[in-house]
Amino acid sequence: MHVDHTRSSSLRAHRILRLALIGVVMAAIFVADTTTRYEVAVAVFYTVVIFTSARVLRRRGLISLAAVCIVMTVISFVFTPHGDLEAGLINMGISIAAIVMIAFLILKAEAARTAAHDAQAQLMRIARVKSLEGLTTSIAHEVNQPLAAIVTSGNACQRWLAQDPPNLHKANQALDRILSDAGRASTIIARVRSLTKGAPPHKGEFDFNKAVLEIVAVSQTEMERNGTRLATELSPDLPPAFADRVQIQQVVGNLVLNAIEALASVPVSTRSIRITSDIKGDAIVFAVFDSGVGIPAGVYEHLFEAFWTSKQEGIGVGLSISRTIIEANGGQIWAEPGEGAGAVFRFSVPTTLQEKRE
Ligand code: ADP
């Protein structure tokens, strides 16, 4: 937590410094615009101020800044002591038009970026829901039939036994049907289970950190929007990983998404995620630390079970699929209490060092 506080106050200091710098530049433009002749359109440089502020200000802040720049341009015009008044009026008009245009373009670009990100996040969620939908439909469809047959045979069996004297031969036949239908149901379940294990991994060499950063970039805007601080501490000395790159990215994405969701109910000032990669023996160990709600004691053993969820809208398959993937790739996945608050999810991935030894 101490680390988080230091990091958050350094971020705040950085932001204040940036805003102060913007203020100084604006003051300099104002003085130059007021003291130079009408013909010199210094106010156009306010566009640079707006452009550089786009990173630190949100929509409302940017609109206010543009308004302040316009007001300062007009004040400078009023107080400029000399020069051609007509040229001054034209220059003021051009400056104001440029300020409005640049602010408008930045806001448009930001809106487009947010829309693209929302679509991407939605896509990730849909992918999760879709895979489950297919799974439940096929289970329901295929298993329902033998289950219905078992119920019918069970009823028949009860009737044959209730007769006086009981018809043991018929009851036995009904029991045989029950056993064979139960066998059929269990074969179907085994088949569905093997389906959910997905395709066997296509293992190959790849740069682990690069693959992680690629997938983390997808959720970066969402983190920024939620006020989540992200720290990446990826070891620069990793050997190449030896696994299915896409599948590993799927797991990383899943863990990061879970971390973001775990932060939703804690105050914005304490929201942070840290991702690390390291080498342990011959394997790479990746970890996602979050400062979220954490995991209650008795829950650890259920985390990786299919359909186990604590979320109202949750499905509970993310971690179970993640475990299947990691184990199929020759690694392990586990969860631990976080440092101070929250949770840590870690997984290991084989490297080429292991491959060469075997
Ligand atoms: P879902 O996210 O749909 O619930 P998962 O299998 O991904 O499914 O997660 C199962 C459960 O594990 C979650 O409902 C949540 O209770 C718990 N969990 C997962 N990640 C975290 C985390 N980072 N912090 C706290 N709890 C978590």
Side-chain angles (χ1 to χ4, degrees), residues 128 254-255 258-259 261-262 290 293-295 303 305 308-311 314-320 343 345:
R128 288 214 299 196
N254 215 348
L255 296 185
N258 273 347
E261 285 172 357
D290 68 63
V293 283
I295 301 163
L303 284 178
E305 284 172 12
W308 195 92
T309 181
S310 64
K311 299 168 195 167
I315 300 166
V317 290
L319 287 178
S320 108
F345 281 81

Side-chain angles (χ1 to χ4, degrees), residues 104-341:
F104 177 74
L105 286 178
I106 290 172
L107 291 177
K108 272 265 170 222
E110 191 55 38
R113 219 162 62 112
T114 312
H117 166 261
D118 284 352
Q120 216 166 21
Q122 183 73 359
L123 218 66
M124 270 175 92
R125 274 185 202 115
I126 287 172
R128 288 214 299 196
V129 177
K130 276 283 161 215
S131 61
L132 177 79
E133 229 174 51
L135 189 68
T136 32
T137 318
S138 68
I139 295 174
H141 181 76
E142 304 239 4
V143 179
N144 235 356
Q145 233 184 328
L147 283 184
I150 287 172
V151 173
T152 313
S153 305
N155 285 334
C157 184
Q158 242 175 359
R159 272 198 310 275
W160 294 126
L161 289 176
Q163 275 188 358
D164 197 14
N167 190 333
L168 291 182
H169 176 67
K170 290 277 187 194
N172 212 16
Q173 279 181 337
L175 269 177
D176 277 345
R177 285 199 303 276
I178 289 176
L179 285 177
S180 106
D181 281 328
R184 194 147 65 94
S186 108
T187 316
I188 292 166
I189 288 176
R191 217 178 61 218
V192 174
R193 278 196 64 161
S194 74
L195 266 181
T196 60
K197 284 198 180 358
H202 292 294
K203 296 186 189 177
E205 279 185 40
F206 66 92
D207 180 336
F208 185 81
N209 290 343
K210 207 169 146 206
V212 165
L213 289 175
E214 250 174 51
I215 195 74
V216 169
V218 174
S219 8
Q220 208 135 13
T221 327
E222 177 135 342
M223 288 191 225
E224 277 168 24
R225 214 170 26 183
N226 299 341
T228 304
R229 290 180 304 283
L230 171 72
T232 44
E233 294 167 14
L234 306 179
S235 162
D237 308 314
L238 298 182
F242 190 80
D244 186 319
R245 189 175 194 273
V246 175
Q247 287 191 344
I248 298 298
Q249 282 186 316
Q250 230 177 323
V251 176
V252 173
N254 215 348
L255 296 185
V256 172
L257 214 63
N258 273 347
I260 294 175
E261 285 172 357
L263 291 172
S265 48
V266 304
V268 176
S269 60
T270 62
R271 288 181 192 166
S272 67
I273 294 178
R274 186 158 64 93
I275 56 174
T276 65
S277 68
D278 255 314
I279 182 86
K280 285 250 158 62
D282 281 348
I284 292 172
V285 175
F286 173 77
V288 181
F289 295 73
D290 68 63
S291 59
V293 283
I295 301 163
V299 166
Y300 283 89
E301 53 203 290
H302 301 296
L303 284 178
F304 296 93
E305 284 172 12
F307 304 112
W308 195 92
T309 181
S310 64
K311 299 168 195 167
Q312 213 148 37
E313 311 255 295
I315 300 166
V317 290
L319 287 178
S320 108
I321 290 177
S322 298
R323 182 166 66 176
T324 309
I325 289 178
I326 292 298
E327 287 176 357
N329 277 280
Q332 280 180 314
I333 184 166
W334 66 102
E336 286 166 15
E339 297 167 334

Side-chain angles (χ1 to χ4, degrees), residues 19 58 82-83 86 101 134 162 223 287 296 322:
L19 288 174
R58 284 167 199 271
H82 33 245
E86 195 181 333
M101 239 152 60
M223 288 191 225
S322 298

